[in-house]
Amino acid sequence: MAAIVVQSIERADPAVIDGLAKCGVATVHEAQGRTGLMAPHMRPIYAGARIAGSAITISAPPGDNWMVHVAIEQLQAGDILLLAPTSPCTDGYFGDLLATSAIARGCRGLVMDAGVRDVRDLTEMGFPVWSKAVHAQGTVKATLGSVNVPVVCANALVNPGDVVIADDDGVCVVPRADAAAVLEKAQAREANEESKRRRLAAGELGLDIYDMRGKLAQMGLKYV
Amino acid sequence: MAAIVVQSIERADPAVIDGLAKCGVATVHEAQGRTGLMAPHMRPIYAGARIAGSAITISAPPGDNWMVHVAIEQLQAGDILLLAPTSPCTDGYFGDLLATSAIARGCRGLVMDAGVRDVRDLTEMGFPVWSKAVHAQGTVKATLGSVNVPVVCANALVNPGDVVIADDDGVCVVPRADAAAVLEKAQAREANEESKRRRLAAGELGLDIYDMRGKLAQMGLKYV
Amino acid sequence: MAAIVVQSIERADPAVIDGLAKCGVATVHEAQGRTGLMAPHMRPIYAGARIAGSAITISAPPGDNWMVHVAIEQLQAGDILLLAPTSPCTDGYFGDLLATSAIARGCRGLVMDAGVRDVRDLTEMGFPVWSKAVHAQGTVKATLGSVNVPVVCANALVNPGDVVIADDDGVCVVPRADAAAVLEKAQAREANEESKRRRLAAGELGLDIYDMRGKLAQMGLKYV
Amino acid sequence: MAAIVVQSIERADPAVIDGLAKCGVATVHEAQGRTGLMAPHMRPIYAGARIAGSAITISAPPGDNWMVHVAIEQLQAGDILLLAPTSPCTDGYFGDLLATSAIARGCRGLVMDAGVRDVRDLTEMGFPVWSKAVHAQGTVKATLGSVNVPVVCANALVNPGDVVIADDDGVCVVPRADAAAVLEKAQAREANEESKRRRLAAGELGLDIYDMRGKLAQMGLKYV
Amino acid sequence: MAAIVVQSIERADPAVIDGLAKCGVATVHEAQGRTGLMAPHMRPIYAGARIAGSAITISAPPGDNWMVHVAIEQLQAGDILLLAPTSPCTDGYFGDLLATSAIARGCRGLVMDAGVRDVRDLTEMGFPVWSKAVHAQGTVKATLGSVNVPVVCANALVNPGDVVIADDDGVCVVPRADAAAVLEKAQAREANEESKRRRLAAGELGLDIYDMRGKLAQMGLKYV
Amino acid sequence: MAAIVVQSIERADPAVIDGLAKCGVATVHEAQGRTGLMAPHMRPIYAGARIAGSAITISAPPGDNWMVHVAIEQLQAGDILLLAPTSPCTDGYFGDLLATSAIARGCRGLVMDAGVRDVRDLTEMGFPVWSKAVHAQGTVKATLGSVNVPVVCANALVNPGDVVIADDDGVCVVPRADAAAVLEKAQAREANEESKRRRLAAGELGLDIYDMRGKLAQMGLKYV
């Protein structure tokens, strides 16, 4: 595998990115037809964070975080670091020093199908991370990887510049070119949900709001 | 499997249910002879909740949450929704809209051997959920299941109307007919534990309080 | 396996132990050459605790916590209980009564490759636990084990009296005889990291601070 | 939990049991409406075995195989031993000596949500086992359990005397009272499948045999 | 997600595909720079099979195998069915009837990040399957998916018509356009390995054949 | 961690080692008091192998098999390679070329808490491997480790020269100095088991042979 760093990538419109963050992972995932969701093992290191940003992708060997240093130079304000190891790994690729550097360049967070460490510091710094594991295990700097190439991370395809949305429900990837259209659909879902929420809160049933009773009967559901 | 909804179930005495909640999962589990405990993969979405209620059971196909809508109509104040998929599944069967509806009917929480989403909202709403996973993955409404039939959930048998107790230690099921007797034993354990707690806090050893030294020696324990 | 209790063990210097706690798991692990780290499944029951202490080791049968009572008598102020079951087990070996007793003897926390229960109480008591699982499942007192013998816990070898450091990143074990030397290296790392942290926060890149550019080019990294 | 041995259980008609064995797990599972299937972690120790028999159930503590000895006395020719530990366990509860004893009483095999050992010997003896793990870890005989009580095994409810069918696809449980009716449906499925098999082998498509094209088009499937 | 079936896909040269099969997964994976390998949970249902073919891809809902029927119509001789569920699932999507149909159209095997059933029959038929699980659990035909669209399967990106190589070591995907070049490199590796094999078998050491001693000494390896 | 190769290790008596192989893992594990057993995830690549040998230990970085080449030079006839990665890893550290080299030096097999590849070739060569995974993923040769140092492998402590016994039930480690004594106990167990086996085969019950009835009654077992 050639070891390359792609220095110039396109990003989505910042307003669109921020709009997607506000909608959250579950809504965005629905809005784009239930695609782009990472596997459920990707969990946040602390509750409550909700971010979106442009992916700076890293393909790294197992247990080797050299390429993270290379990737940080490619960060622009509003970006998210996204690391996929080339084979399954739980080592701690990232800690508070790298977070300090990433924050200095405007990075909004990290998504990594591997392990993270210094999570108490990262929590205090308010730097959110979604990862497969928390593990103090250190890494080496001995083998090259690539930055800003397409990667598969936690079973989702990510191209550099794609929009990554992450919150307590997991991580979702929206292709850059689709971001505006997905945002529109996501906001429409939210508006629609708001009226449903009021009716449900008032005691109406989903069975009636969504007009399900006939279909259920027709399919054979028996009340006894 | 016939798709049915049992509309009339018996419930335990509300005072007994509330008493069991106060005792908590570990004590109730001991009190009923160490039976009825769900598998350890059932975890709460936030720390600190402790509830008990009557089970409204749902048997649902993988990735299909249609029956949740059906089940919500069967809820009475003080009930707990309990969903067992018919095959292993981590999809997000339940989110904030369904929670809004469940809360409107007095539901105390959800226990589900599957995935949940919108967990930030659910946490803010104070609606506790114990689940196998958190996953934004949506579900469909295409295949029937049943409501208020016996189910096996996370390796525990649950009949509709059984008392479900859930807290940070997991989830335990008490058969409806045994609830009063189990509460009595659980409260006896608590009273007994309170005196033990004081003696242990004062520095007495379990070895002496429980009179273990003779038995240990007899079985061959050697101090060196 | 003979069932023995070793009553007299050596401990590291308390000041060294407290110094290691302050450095934290990730730094100590690096400082001793990346050895002694437990597997990543060892997780704290609540966030934010950071402790170090001398290991009182327990080798216990699966589902049998009798030896915990025996071990508590061996505790001195500043010690940590460390339990390794003789086969994989997630049962709840330890709860609030045992914690009350351990605290009365000055115990700083518990590390256990098994399950724990009463975690809400333990959290309120401020008694930190690192474990493989949280499970209400009770244990019996029927079979002997040993106290203060060498054990392998979560893939790490622990001798009685070794220094155990635990925080949000996991658990690391430092052999008693190495503790002072490891502390020295850990503190040197911290001092070194502090200057790095300032430079990184100011926007300097790791690529420059660690002088990586030449090596990367030499190994073939291409910027495109 | 009271420790009891139920000595007299009802069994299904031997001809029905043998008929179910011949149909196999997948067909029987379909025939009874997709219920009664154990979790996919239940795997055979060697390929090719296909058995059915009446369940002699064992509820045993983790790491304690005392009740297996008790259960063997309850075996009749054609029975299957079925063990569910009271908490998750991978210890080797069963080996070649117990198999020798079980075979002497006409036992057809073992289903166990735990570990097994001596698997080379068991394979040579032709004694099939479905288990969660293979592990040499021994067990003790210190704590009571029960024989021929209802148990939940690998997420399936099993009553003593239920028919257990096991093959390379896993393990399925048919309630004793339903066995004849399920066999009838299973045999009907087999007859129906045979004609389908011939047509499919001749190159006809399932799309046509099952008349799916219209429904697919109506639901919106697009050929491009 | 639009539900589509792409009916016309390009395939690699059959001679190239067969050449890749002969090289096997480990060699091909190396030859294309260690990319395209599926996760290690993808295991064969029987040992010894080694195949390559053009991917007919299926994106299917969890627990719903309707699209398999649709995909079979798209098969040409030499193809491999490749199914990725849209969320994690272990249900048995495929059994002996579908295999009969697939074989009738010249299909070489199945790769599926889900469950398979009827594995005894499939083994007797010599139809190889690589899957995440073996499970008798049936599926429904209620929700659409797509055929011959890009999918991510067991953490590997697969485009329709890509070459899939599968053997006892797992499953690897080679982009269609790269197939000839990868084959050339794989064959070169094999030729090179053959001479190494002879020298190693004669007792020469890798340390000498690969001239490693100087580098090891330079990096600090100490013989004691 | 210093990178060292210990060139001179002591080994147990070859006759003792071969005797232990004949007893097998389950018996040896019992004979030494149920210690030294590796975790149940260690599985053989093919059924039926049963070996014992002196451990040549390898501590290797994740995804880096350089030290395997170094270790092979240290092999003597009758040895077993035993690799423990310094953090969890499933990469394929070992394949048919390394096996060719190991066999040329008289190596009996490989035990590795990591991944292996070329398993079809290894099976044909009759070179047995016990591992955590089968994975085609290649490794690099960039970072040093050590050979013939103490390691913890799959939760078992192994010193160089310890006797490793491996068969279908897993892997057990016997400290070199204890090997003769453990063999004696293992052979005594076997002799004792042989008479039990005959009595059990003749239909006698373990309940009677081991005289369990009185103890069971005394502990409260009720026959109903």
Side-chain angles (χ1 to χ4, degrees):
Chain A
M1 189 169 41
I4 60 170
V5 182
V6 177
Q7 297 183 92
S8 166
I9 64 168
E10 291 186 80
R11 289 169 174 82
D13 175 347
V16 168
I17 294 172
D18 290 348
L20 289 166
K22 216 172 142 199
C23 293
V25 170
T27 298
V28 169
H29 174 57
E30 291 289 343
Q32 77 170 338
R34 296 188 179 171
T35 60
L37 191 65
M38 291 193 185
H41 66 248
M42 296 296 286
R43 303 302 306 142
I45 57 168
Y46 57 85
R50 173 168 283 182
I51 63 169
S54 304
I56 297 297
T57 65
I58 307 170
S59 172
D64 192 311
N65 77 344
W66 209 0
M67 286 304 111
V68 179
H69 289 275
V70 174
I72 284 175
E73 189 177 27
Q74 305 304 319
L75 284 170
Q76 295 185 3
D79 286 347
I80 289 178
L81 284 170
L82 187 145
L83 185 149
T86 54
S87 72
C89 188
T90 56
D91 290 355
Y93 280 74
F94 193 94
D96 76 308
L97 283 183
L98 285 166
T100 300
S101 184
I103 290 170
R105 300 186 80 82
C107 182
R108 291 182 172 178
L110 168 68
V111 169
M112 181 164 58
D113 195 9
V116 62
R117 60 182 185 175
D118 298 334
V119 296
R120 195 171 76 162
D121 295 328
L122 298 177
T123 301
E124 282 170 11
M125 294 160 77
F127 186 81
V129 178
W130 285 256
S131 70
K132 178 184 184 175
V134 173
H135 203 197
Q137 177 68 42
T139 53
V140 297
K141 296 175 202 350
T143 308
L144 299 183
S146 288
V147 172
N148 282 335
V149 295
V151 296
V152 176
C153 180
N155 220 42
L157 176 66
V158 191
N159 281 289
D162 282 352
V163 185
V164 176
I165 303 100
D167 64 17
D168 291 337
D169 290 344
V171 184
C172 188
V173 181
V174 176
R176 186 184 53 75
D178 303 345
V182 170
L183 174 60
E184 200 171 335
K185 286 182 195 161
Q187 288 173 332
R189 285 187 72 87
E190 287 210 321
N192 180 39
E193 284 194 353
E194 192 44 42
S195 76
K196 299 276 166 50
R197 190 173 290 110
R198 278 195 304 270
R199 293 173 67 184
L200 292 165
E204 273 191 87
L205 287 168
L207 288 176
D208 298 311
I209 295 176
Y210 305 108
D211 197 17
M212 292 169 168
R213 294 188 193 273
K215 186 77 183 308
L216 287 166
Q218 175 193 333
M219 288 190 66
L221 187 66
K222 296 271 177 293
Y223 284 80
V224 297
Chain B
M1 188 168 43
I4 61 171
V5 182
V6 176
Q7 297 183 93
S8 166
I9 64 168
E10 291 187 80
R11 289 169 174 82
D13 175 346
V16 168
I17 295 172
D18 290 348
L20 289 167
K22 214 171 142 200
C23 293
V25 170
T27 298
V28 169
H29 174 58
E30 292 288 343
Q32 77 170 334
R34 297 189 178 171
T35 61
L37 191 64
M38 292 193 184
H41 67 247
M42 295 296 286
R43 302 302 306 142
I45 58 168
Y46 57 86
R50 172 168 284 182
I51 63 170
S54 303
I56 298 297
T57 65
I58 307 170
S59 172
D64 192 311
N65 77 345
W66 209 0
M67 285 305 111
V68 179
H69 289 274
V70 174
I72 284 175
E73 188 176 28
Q74 305 305 318
L75 284 170
Q76 295 185 3
D79 286 348
I80 288 178
L81 284 170
L82 187 144
L83 185 149
T86 54
S87 71
C89 188
T90 56
D91 291 355
Y93 280 74
F94 193 95
D96 75 309
L97 284 182
L98 285 166
T100 300
S101 184
I103 290 170
R105 300 186 81 81
C107 182
R108 291 183 171 176
L110 168 68
V111 169
M112 181 164 59
D113 195 9
V116 63
R117 60 182 186 175
D118 299 334
V119 296
R120 195 171 76 162
D121 295 329
L122 298 176
T123 302
E124 282 170 11
M125 294 160 76
F127 186 81
V129 178
W130 286 256
S131 70
K132 180 185 182 172
V134 174
H135 202 197
Q137 177 69 43
T139 53
V140 297
K141 294 176 204 347
T143 307
L144 299 183
S146 288
V147 171
N148 281 336
V149 294
V151 296
V152 176
C153 180
N155 220 41
L157 175 66
V158 191
N159 281 289
D162 281 352
V163 184
V164 176
I165 303 99
D167 64 17
D168 292 337
D169 290 345
V171 184
C172 188
V173 181
V174 176
R176 185 184 54 76
D178 303 346
V182 170
L183 175 59
E184 200 169 336
K185 285 182 196 161
Q187 288 173 332
R189 286 186 72 87
E190 287 209 322
N192 180 38
E193 284 194 355
E194 192 43 42
S195 76
K196 298 277 166 50
R197 190 173 290 110
R198 277 196 304 272
R199 293 172 66 184
L200 292 165
E204 271 190 89
L205 287 169
L207 288 176
D208 298 312
I209 294 176
Y210 305 108
D211 197 16
M212 292 170 168
R213 295 188 192 271
K215 186 77 182 307
L216 287 166
Q218 175 193 332
M219 289 190 64
L221 187 66
K222 295 272 177 294
Y223 284 79
V224 297
Chain C
M1 190 168 42
I4 60 169
V5 182
V6 176
Q7 297 183 92
S8 165
I9 64 167
E10 291 187 80
R11 291 168 174 83
D13 175 347
V16 168
I17 294 173
D18 290 347
L20 289 167
K22 215 172 143 199
C23 293
V25 170
T27 298
V28 169
H29 175 56
E30 291 289 342
Q32 76 170 338
R34 297 189 179 168
T35 61
L37 191 64
M38 292 193 184
H41 66 248
M42 296 296 286
R43 303 302 307 141
I45 58 168
Y46 57 85
R50 173 168 283 181
I51 63 170
S54 303
I56 297 297
T57 64
I58 308 170
S59 173
D64 191 312
N65 77 345
W66 209 359
M67 286 303 112
V68 179
H69 289 275
V70 173
I72 284 175
E73 188 176 28
Q74 306 304 319
L75 283 170
Q76 295 186 3
D79 286 348
I80 288 178
L81 284 171
L82 188 144
L83 185 149
T86 54
S87 71
C89 189
T90 56
D91 291 356
Y93 280 74
F94 192 95
D96 76 308
L97 284 181
L98 285 166
T100 300
S101 184
I103 290 171
R105 300 186 80 83
C107 182
R108 292 183 171 177
L110 167 69
V111 169
M112 180 164 60
D113 196 9
V116 63
R117 60 181 186 177
D118 298 334
V119 296
R120 193 170 78 162
D121 295 329
L122 298 176
T123 301
E124 282 169 12
M125 294 159 77
F127 187 81
V129 178
W130 286 257
S131 70
K132 179 185 183 173
V134 173
H135 203 197
Q137 177 69 41
T139 53
V140 296
K141 294 175 202 350
T143 308
L144 299 183
S146 287
V147 172
N148 283 334
V149 295
V151 295
V152 176
C153 180
N155 221 41
L157 175 67
V158 191
N159 281 289
D162 282 352
V163 185
V164 176
I165 303 100
D167 64 18
D168 292 337
D169 290 344
V171 184
C172 188
V173 182
V174 176
R176 185 183 54 75
D178 303 346
V182 170
L183 175 60
E184 200 170 335
K185 286 183 196 163
Q187 289 173 332
R189 286 186 72 88
E190 287 209 323
N192 179 39
E193 284 193 355
E194 192 43 42
S195 75
K196 298 278 167 49
R197 189 172 291 111
R198 278 196 303 271
R199 293 173 66 184
L200 292 165
E204 272 191 87
L205 287 168
L207 289 176
D208 298 312
I209 294 176
Y210 305 108
D211 197 16
M212 292 169 169
R213 294 188 193 272
K215 186 76 183 307
L216 287 165
Q218 174 193 333
M219 288 190 65
L221 187 67
K222 297 271 177 292
Y223 283 80
V224 296
Chain D
M1 188 168 43
I4 61 170
V5 183
V6 176
Q7 296 182 93
S8 167
I9 65 168
E10 291 187 80
R11 289 168 173 82
D13 175 347
V16 168
I17 294 172
D18 290 348
L20 288 167
K22 217 173 141 199
C23 294
V25 170
T27 298
V28 169
H29 174 57
E30 291 288 345
Q32 76 171 337
R34 297 188 178 169
T35 60
L37 190 65
M38 292 193 185
H41 66 247
M42 295 296 285
R43 301 303 305 143
I45 58 169
Y46 56 86
R50 174 170 283 182
I51 64 170
S54 304
I56 298 297
T57 64
I58 307 170
S59 172
D64 191 312
N65 77 345
W66 208 0
M67 286 304 111
V68 179
H69 289 275
V70 173
I72 284 176
E73 189 177 28
Q74 306 303 320
L75 284 170
Q76 295 187 4
D79 286 347
I80 288 178
L81 284 170
L82 188 144
L83 185 149
T86 53
S87 72
C89 188
T90 57
D91 291 356
Y93 279 76
F94 193 94
D96 77 308
L97 283 182
L98 285 167
T100 300
S101 185
I103 290 171
R105 300 186 80 83
C107 180
R108 291 181 171 178
L110 168 68
V111 169
M112 182 164 57
D113 195 10
V116 62
R117 60 183 187 175
D118 298 335
V119 296
R120 192 168 80 162
D121 296 329
L122 297 177
T123 302
E124 283 170 9
M125 294 159 77
F127 186 80
V129 179
W130 286 258
S131 70
K132 179 185 184 174
V134 173
H135 203 196
Q137 178 69 42
T139 52
V140 297
K141 295 175 202 351
T143 308
L144 299 183
S146 287
V147 172
N148 282 335
V149 294
V151 296
V152 176
C153 180
N155 220 41
L157 175 66
V158 191
N159 281 288
D162 282 352
V163 185
V164 176
I165 302 100
D167 64 17
D168 292 338
D169 290 344
V171 183
C172 188
V173 181
V174 176
R176 186 184 54 76
D178 303 345
V182 170
L183 175 59
E184 201 170 334
K185 286 183 196 161
Q187 288 173 333
R189 286 186 72 88
E190 287 210 322
N192 180 39
E193 284 193 354
E194 192 44 41
S195 77
K196 298 276 167 50
R197 191 174 289 111
R198 278 196 304 271
R199 293 173 67 184
L200 292 165
E204 272 190 88
L205 287 169
L207 288 176
D208 298 312
I209 294 176
Y210 304 108
D211 197 17
M212 293 169 169
R213 293 188 193 273
K215 186 75 183 307
L216 288 165
Q218 175 194 332
M219 288 190 65
L221 187 67
K222 297 272 178 292
Y223 284 79
V224 296
Chain E
M1 189 169 44
I4 61 169
V5 182
V6 176
Q7 296 183 92
S8 167
I9 65 168
E10 291 187 81
R11 290 168 174 83
D13 175 347
V16 168
I17 294 172
D18 290 348
L20 288 167
K22 215 173 142 198
C23 293
V25 170
T27 298
V28 169
H29 173 58
E30 292 288 345
Q32 76 170 340
R34 296 188 178 170
T35 61
L37 192 64
M38 291 193 185
H41 66 248
M42 295 296 285
R43 301 303 305 143
I45 58 169
Y46 57 86
R50 173 169 284 182
I51 64 170
S54 303
I56 299 297
T57 63
I58 307 169
S59 172
D64 192 311
N65 76 345
W66 209 0
M67 286 304 112
V68 179
H69 289 274
V70 174
I72 284 176
E73 189 176 27
Q74 306 304 320
L75 283 170
Q76 295 187 3
D79 286 347
I80 289 178
L81 284 170
L82 188 144
L83 185 149
T86 54
S87 72
C89 188
T90 57
D91 291 356
Y93 279 76
F94 193 95
D96 76 307
L97 284 182
L98 285 167
T100 301
S101 184
I103 290 170
R105 300 186 80 83
C107 181
R108 291 182 171 176
L110 167 68
V111 169
M112 182 165 58
D113 195 10
V116 62
R117 60 183 188 176
D118 298 334
V119 296
R120 193 170 77 162
D121 295 329
L122 298 177
T123 302
E124 282 170 10
M125 295 160 76
F127 186 81
V129 178
W130 286 257
S131 70
K132 179 185 184 174
V134 174
H135 203 197
Q137 177 69 42
T139 51
V140 297
K141 295 174 203 349
T143 308
L144 300 183
S146 288
V147 172
N148 282 335
V149 294
V151 295
V152 176
C153 180
N155 220 41
L157 175 66
V158 191
N159 281 289
D162 281 353
V163 184
V164 175
I165 303 100
D167 64 18
D168 292 338
D169 290 344
V171 183
C172 188
V173 181
V174 176
R176 187 185 52 77
D178 304 344
V182 170
L183 175 59
E184 200 170 335
K185 285 183 196 161
Q187 289 173 333
R189 285 186 72 88
E190 287 209 322
N192 179 40
E193 284 194 352
E194 191 46 41
S195 76
K196 298 276 166 51
R197 190 173 289 110
R198 277 196 305 272
R199 293 173 67 185
L200 292 165
E204 271 190 88
L205 287 168
L207 288 176
D208 298 311
I209 294 175
Y210 305 108
D211 197 17
M212 292 169 169
R213 294 188 193 273
K215 187 77 182 306
L216 288 165
Q218 175 194 332
M219 289 191 63
L221 187 67
K222 296 272 177 293
Y223 284 80
V224 296
Chain F
M1 188 169 42
I4 61 170
V5 183
V6 176
Q7 297 183 92
S8 167
I9 64 169
E10 291 188 81
R11 290 168 173 83
D13 175 346
V16 168
I17 294 172
D18 290 349
L20 289 167
K22 215 172 143 199
C23 294
V25 170
T27 298
V28 169
H29 174 57
E30 291 288 345
Q32 76 171 337
R34 297 188 179 169
T35 61
L37 191 65
M38 290 192 186
H41 67 247
M42 296 296 286
R43 302 303 305 143
I45 58 169
Y46 57 85
R50 173 168 284 181
I51 63 170
S54 304
I56 298 297
T57 64
I58 307 169
S59 172
D64 192 311
N65 77 344
W66 208 0
M67 286 304 112
V68 179
H69 289 275
V70 174
I72 284 175
E73 188 176 28
Q74 306 304 319
L75 283 170
Q76 295 186 4
D79 285 348
I80 289 178
L81 284 170
L82 188 144
L83 185 148
T86 53
S87 71
C89 189
T90 56
D91 291 355
Y93 280 75
F94 193 95
D96 77 308
L97 283 182
L98 285 166
T100 301
S101 185
I103 291 170
R105 300 187 80 83
C107 182
R108 291 182 171 177
L110 168 68
V111 168
M112 182 164 57
D113 195 9
V116 63
R117 60 183 187 174
D118 299 334
V119 296
R120 193 170 78 163
D121 295 329
L122 298 177
T123 302
E124 283 170 10
M125 294 159 78
F127 186 80
V129 178
W130 286 257
S131 70
K132 178 184 183 175
V134 173
H135 203 198
Q137 177 69 43
T139 52
V140 296
K141 294 175 203 350
T143 308
L144 299 183
S146 287
V147 172
N148 281 335
V149 294
V151 295
V152 175
C153 181
N155 220 42
L157 175 67
V158 191
N159 281 289
D162 282 352
V163 184
V164 176
I165 302 100
D167 64 17
D168 292 337
D169 290 345
V171 183
C172 188
V173 181
V174 176
R176 186 184 53 77
D178 303 345
V182 170
L183 175 60
E184 200 170 335
K185 286 182 196 162
Q187 289 173 332
R189 286 187 72 89
E190 287 209 322
N192 179 39
E193 284 194 354
E194 192 44 42
S195 75
K196 298 276 166 50
R197 189 174 290 111
R198 278 197 304 272
R199 293 172 67 183
L200 292 165
E204 271 191 88
L205 288 168
L207 289 175
D208 298 312
I209 295 176
Y210 304 108
D211 198 16
M212 293 169 169
R213 294 188 193 273
K215 186 76 183 306
L216 287 166
Q218 175 193 332
M219 289 191 64
L221 187 66
K222 296 274 177 290
Y223 283 80
V224 295

